[in-house]
Amino acid sequence: MTTPATTTRGVDRRLLRTAALGVVLAGFVLVACGSGAGASTPAKALGRGAEGPRRAIPWAQVGPGWSVALWGPAKPEPTGVTTPAGQLSLSTESPTLYLLDPQGGRYRITTLAPAGDHSRSLDAWSGDGRRVLIATSQTQSSDITLTEISLVSARAHSFTASDTFGGVYANPAGGSILVTSGDSFPMKLERVSTDGTAQLTYPQSFAGPGLFNGTFASSPDGAEIAMGEQGGQVALVSKSGVTLTNVPVPGATSCTPTRWWSKTEVLASCQPTGTGHPLLWLVPTSGGAPTAFTVPGPPGPDNGDQVAWQVGRGTYVQDVGGCGYVYLTKRTAARTTSPVYVPYVNSRYSVLVLGATGGQMLVQSALACGPGNTLLWFNPSTGTAHVVLGPTVNGGSVNQAILFGTNNGGS
């Protein structure tokens, strides 16, 4: 993930939000610059391209391979191009919240009001698969409104999070929410209830130069949280707020935990000293010495390694290029990265990987055949892909999406 950058206020809030919650692709990024589930719930999921109501969701099947997405009918214009008068835009459309099965069947949960001049993002999906969290900015304020929506009933409730950047559900089931806040280092990580009631504040500083930088990743069982530090360290903290260990990464000035790589290792993207680009490190939860996961490669488009996944026999890395452009690479035997082609995708646009499961990767990008972001499954072993939402299935554009089991503060 990208490392927060200082500004006149202390922190670039947009970059911090990206680092803490995962990259959100809302629009294009150019290279150049109420019924619940009951006894009548069907046992079979919908097929690719089919659409049904939320009462048809086979809740017993919801799990790995499923996703949630905000989809809108607008076809956003490329960066720098103004939407023609009278045409729907991201601010005037009424997006639909969908739950998608692994084959691409989609279930309508609810339709949201237009965002207007507010920014809105799909921030989190609870570990029990039943709720999502949507963040909406408040006018002329650093506060946001967090809205929890039930995927079962579509009922919603909201609360205000002061001076914060959004939140994610605490693992494993999502009975509480982890939120980050602050304008300068150290930042603050808090656990709050799903109605916003404060429960616990986590440590903000650690041994040595370590100050919490607002990025974190929770273990799948929720027992530990890896917290990134400006001092080039990663702190392991228990869910009760006790610091378990603090691990310095050699030659790093700041680290962003991105995901749990195994039960005993955290994958972190760390900014090296000097002018180097962020590299990935494996940080042992035991407090042992970290190991380099990626190393600098020859001159090229790679401006930093963000996160990685093991898919089949290959290890794949999300890399960032110039102007916020992100793309998919494969780690080589020398631990450098090499770009990977994703079928149908327009080479001028970012390829945002949302996660991996069952030998496939869920990808959000724009296709070569027209405007609008698409959600597709990509199998890197066979080099094949199939679209599940957006062009060419139902048009419009996918604003944000989350793969089940990946949204824990990292990716």
Side-chain angles (χ1 to χ4, degrees):
M1 299 296 169
T2 52
T3 302
T6 57
T7 67
T8 54
R9 294 192 65 200
V11 175
D12 185 325
R13 302 173 72 89
R14 293 172 301 172
L15 290 180
L16 181 57
R17 181 176 177 81
T18 297
L21 304 179
V23 181
V24 175
L25 187 64
F28 298 138
V29 181
L30 289 175
V31 181
C33 228
S35 297
S40 61
T41 301
K44 183 179 292 186
L46 296 172
R48 178 178 179 269
E51 184 170 322
R54 63 177 182 275
R55 65 174 178 271
I57 297 171
W59 283 108
Q61 299 180 35
V62 175
W66 287 68
S67 58
V68 288
L70 270 181
W71 170 92
K75 296 180 179 180
E77 300 293 335
T79 301
V81 178
T82 302
T83 302
Q87 180 176 305
L88 280 175
S89 67
L90 293 177
S91 63
T92 60
E93 70 176 358
S94 297
T96 297
L97 176 64
Y98 281 113
L99 175 67
L100 291 96
D101 63 42
Q103 291 73 40
R106 58 187 186 272
Y107 303 84
R108 295 185 307 276
I109 304 300
T110 190
T111 297
L112 306 181
D117 60 356
H118 295 76
S119 65
R120 179 167 57 198
S121 64
L122 177 62
D123 271 12
W125 187 8
S126 62
D128 63 8
R130 303 297 181 98
R131 293 158 290 138
V132 297
L133 201 62
I134 290 179
T136 306
S137 67
Q138 294 191 8
T139 303
Q140 297 180 339
S141 171
S142 60
D143 299 342
I144 64 169
T145 298
L146 289 175
T147 301
E148 184 178 61
I149 299 176
S150 167
L151 300 182
V152 179
S153 66
R155 288 192 292 267
H157 68 272
S158 303
F159 65 91
T160 297
S162 299
D163 192 30
T164 192
F165 313 104
V168 297
Y169 286 104
N171 288 338
S176 56
I177 298 168
L178 298 171
V179 296
T180 54
S181 61
D183 282 325
S184 60
F185 302 116
M187 314 302 290
K188 183 166 66 173
L189 175 64
E190 291 182 287
R191 188 178 72 224
V192 302
S193 68
T194 54
D195 64 4
T197 302
Q199 296 178 338
L200 178 69
T201 297
Y202 289 88
Q204 293 177 264
S205 60
F206 305 93
L211 298 176
F212 178 51
N213 63 16
T215 67
F216 65 93
S218 176
S219 63
D221 63 4
E224 297 180 34
I225 298 174
M227 299 175 65
E229 301 174 48
Q230 275 303 99
Q233 303 177 138
V234 175
L236 278 299
V237 179
S238 73
K239 65 179 180 181
S240 61
V242 176
T243 301
L244 304 174
T245 188
N246 194 32
V247 185
V249 174
T253 60
S254 182
C255 286
T256 297
T258 58
R259 61 186 296 257
W260 235 253
W261 188 252
S262 68
K263 291 182 179 180
T264 60
E265 294 174 307
V266 176
L267 189 67
S269 177
C270 297
Q271 178 67 49
T273 56
T275 59
H277 300 304
L279 298 169
L280 293 175
W281 288 79
L282 282 179
V283 179
T285 59
S286 64
T291 56
F293 191 85
T294 58
V295 299
D302 185 358
N303 283 351
D305 305 330
Q306 296 184 320
V307 64
W309 303 266
Q310 184 72 35
V311 185
R313 296 183 179 180
T315 301
Y316 296 86
V317 178
Q318 182 87 78
D319 275 357
V320 61
C323 300
Y325 172 70
V326 294
Y327 61 104
L328 178 62
T329 67
K330 185 175 182 179
R331 189 177 70 157
T332 69
R335 291 182 293 170
T336 60
T337 60
S338 176
V340 172
Y341 168 72
V342 178
Y344 315 129
V345 168
N346 189 325
S347 62
R348 299 175 60 229
Y349 294 100
S350 286
V351 172
L352 177 63
V353 180
L354 304 178
T357 185
Q360 297 190 94
M361 313 180 82
L362 189 62
V363 171
Q364 184 180 346
S365 190
L367 303 187
C369 58
N373 288 324
T374 287
L375 199 63
L376 66 149
W377 284 105
F378 170 54
N379 186 324
S381 297
T382 61
T384 57
H386 66 276
V387 174
V388 293
L389 187 65
T392 55
V393 172
N394 65 330
S397 184
V398 179
N399 299 329
Q400 293 103 26
I402 300 172
L403 179 63
F404 183 85
T406 62
N407 185 242
N408 65 353
S411 295

